[in-house]
Amino acid sequence: TTPVSPQGTPAPASVQVMKPQRRDIARTITLPANISPWFQATLYAKVPGYLKWIGFDKGDWVKQGQLLAVIDAPEVEQLYQQAEADYKIKQLTFQRLYGVWKDNPDVIAKQDVDVAEAAAEAAGHLRDNRRTLLAYTEVSAPFSGVITARFADPGALIQSAATSAVQAVPLFTLMNLDTVRVYTSVPQEVAFLAKAGLPVTLTARELSGHAFKGSVTRTTEALDPATRTLLTEIDMPNKEHRLQPGMFVNATLYLERHPNAFVISPTAVVPGNNGSKKSVFVVEKGKARRVSIATGIDDGIWIEVTDGLTENMDVVVVGKSSLTEGQSVQATAYNLPTGQPSRQTY
């Protein structure tokens, strides 16, 4: 029942009011994310042989071009020596025939000289090919990083991965962690907002609340039809190597940011019915008046008002549920309790 005064008239309703404020407001979404290395390679041998020397183990850091292992492959070296000798004799034969033809063209046919030249050139290509294969007996790091797996020990027979990587035993797995790739899947309803440059914050409980700030680097631009999500990648600098591949983190995407927005407390808003607009009660000359408003971002502490209010209005926050249009009210200031902005989490 409505309180009445001793004179029999309804007593003014007690309400708490606040004036709209200017604040920065953001719409965020927090999603699970996975860490992957910037580069990752599983290293195989290109030539068969016995593992003669291996210089590194799991957890060792190596530089690009650094020698990692040596394979003992005498057959490959012998093939190179044979190709080198064949090239020398064919090159010498061509030079001799060319010298005779140049001094006396009637003694030897030009065709024989051309055949000898082509044979020497082919032998040179074969020698270069065998030299390249010989170089593959030394396995070097294709990029700088850390050895995360080692699969063989000295003396092991190593098969060539050039014919079949299924049967061949790998030597190492190498990862570059100076930058990591962070993958998360954005749901369909906000996927259109996930664009390159969107601010992102990464957090993990194991990292004592430390936050890594970055931005969206790229997306697939197409949703996965099985999950209706957009694969999104964040390239995050990781010089201290605190983010490790395989790690689970939370990625908070700042989908929209409105600086200096016109905001009020969400508890002041009266939801609309049957499609009608949202509204609030304002106090004018001791009377309650209902005002329709248009809203924007709601972060749980503040809600953006895009139309309907001015900065000098007293908006009812507490006591609005029993108010009616034109009712007398007694207004006091509203003290907003402290809180954290809400986040949509998947």
Side-chain angles (χ1 to χ4, degrees), residues 176-199:
N176 183 315
L177 306 183
D178 289 341
T179 301
V180 292
R181 302 177 189 266
V182 184
Y183 292 102
T184 187
S185 296
V186 179
Q188 176 178 322
E189 53 266 30
V190 292
F192 68 97
L193 295 172
K195 302 295 182 182
L198 194 73

Side-chain angles (χ1 to χ4, degrees), residues 23 27 42 54 59 162 192 205 227 265:
R23 291 178 179 269
R27 178 185 180 189
T42 299
I54 187 167
F192 68 97
R205 190 164 42 189
T227 60
S265 172

Side-chain angles (χ1 to χ4, degrees), residues 92-102 108 112-113 116:
L92 182 60
T93 300
F94 161 66
Q95 292 174 350
R96 287 174 176 173
L97 291 176
Y98 178 75
V100 172
W101 174 80
K102 188 175 181 180
I108 188 172
D112 294 337
V113 177

Side-chain angles (χ1 to χ4, degrees), residues 8-344:
T9 58
S14 180
V15 297
Q16 295 182 18
V17 298
M18 67 172 295
K19 293 185 183 297
Q21 301 183 22
R22 292 285 180 179
R23 291 178 179 269
D24 295 343
I25 192 169
R27 178 185 180 189
T28 65
I29 183 172
T30 300
L31 302 166
N34 295 307
I35 307 294
S36 295
W38 179 245
F39 292 140
Q40 176 177 337
T42 299
L43 306 183
Y44 289 84
K46 182 70 178 291
V47 296
Y50 288 96
L51 188 57
K52 181 179 180 180
W53 175 82
I54 187 167
F56 298 91
D57 212 326
K58 295 178 288 293
D60 291 337
W61 292 86
V62 298
K63 295 182 179 181
Q64 183 177 5
Q66 190 168 357
L67 182 63
L68 304 181
V70 177
I71 297 171
D72 185 15
E75 299 91 343
V76 176
E77 184 172 0
Q78 290 170 5
L79 288 174
Y80 166 70
Q81 296 294 345
Q82 180 183 354
E84 176 72 20
D86 186 56
Y87 168 73
K88 288 182 178 179
I89 189 62
K90 289 184 177 179
Q91 179 68 14
L92 182 60
T93 300
F94 161 66
Q95 292 174 350
R96 287 174 176 173
L97 291 176
Y98 178 75
V100 172
W101 174 80
K102 188 175 181 180
D103 293 338
N104 193 348
D106 296 332
V107 173
I108 188 172
K110 181 61 167 61
Q111 181 179 354
D112 294 337
V113 177
D114 294 339
V115 170
E117 182 182 15
E121 185 175 349
H125 291 316
L126 181 61
R127 177 203 58 180
D128 294 342
N129 176 264
R130 297 285 170 80
R131 178 190 293 150
T132 301
L133 288 177
L134 183 61
Y136 284 135
T137 58
E138 295 184 350
V139 180
S140 302
F143 52 83
S144 299
V146 60
I147 302 292
T148 59
R150 169 176 156 170
F151 302 96
D153 295 316
L157 177 62
I158 305 299
Q159 299 292 337
S160 171
T163 54
S164 175
V166 177
Q167 298 177 356
V169 177
L171 300 175
F172 300 103
T173 295
L174 178 64
M175 295 183 182
N176 183 315
L177 306 183
D178 289 341
T179 301
V180 292
R181 302 177 189 266
V182 184
Y183 292 102
T184 187
S185 296
V186 179
Q188 176 178 322
E189 53 266 30
V190 292
F192 68 97
L193 295 172
K195 302 295 182 182
L198 194 73
V200 178
T201 299
L202 302 182
T203 56
R205 190 164 42 189
E206 310 83 56
L207 298 177
S208 303
H210 183 77
F212 299 84
K213 296 186 181 297
S215 60
V216 171
T217 305
R218 63 188 64 85
T219 72
T220 57
E221 296 291 346
L223 272 66
D224 183 346
T227 60
R228 306 300 176 190
T229 57
L230 179 70
L231 183 62
T232 302
E233 180 181 331
I234 304 106
D235 295 343
M236 187 69 66
N238 189 39
K239 295 298 183 183
E240 297 180 357
H241 303 144
R242 300 184 70 181
L243 296 173
Q244 298 175 311
M247 193 174 183
F248 174 86
V249 296
N250 291 315
T252 299
L253 280 66
Y254 294 83
L255 301 173
E256 293 181 276
R257 275 183 169 177
H258 293 174
N260 200 32
F262 196 50
V263 299
I264 60 173
S265 172
T267 57
V269 178
V270 180
N273 297 321
N274 299 324
S276 60
K277 296 180 65 176
K278 297 177 182 178
S279 61
V280 296
F281 281 100
V282 298
V283 177
E284 293 180 347
K285 299 179 180 179
K287 303 288 184 180
R289 182 169 71 89
R290 192 163 184 157
V291 178
S292 296
I293 61 171
T295 60
I297 297 175
D298 181 356
D299 69 0
I301 295 180
W302 302 102
I303 186 170
E304 181 183 19
V305 178
T306 58
D307 187 42
L309 296 180
T310 63
E311 295 184 359
N312 294 324
M313 287 183 172
D314 290 321
V315 180
V316 176
V317 180
V318 177
K320 68 181 187 300
S321 59
S322 59
L323 289 182
T324 58
E325 182 73 21
Q327 183 177 350
S328 297
V329 295
Q330 183 177 359
T332 57
Y334 171 70
N335 292 321
L336 182 68
T338 58
Q340 293 293 328
S342 65
R343 294 178 178 179
Q344 188 175 4

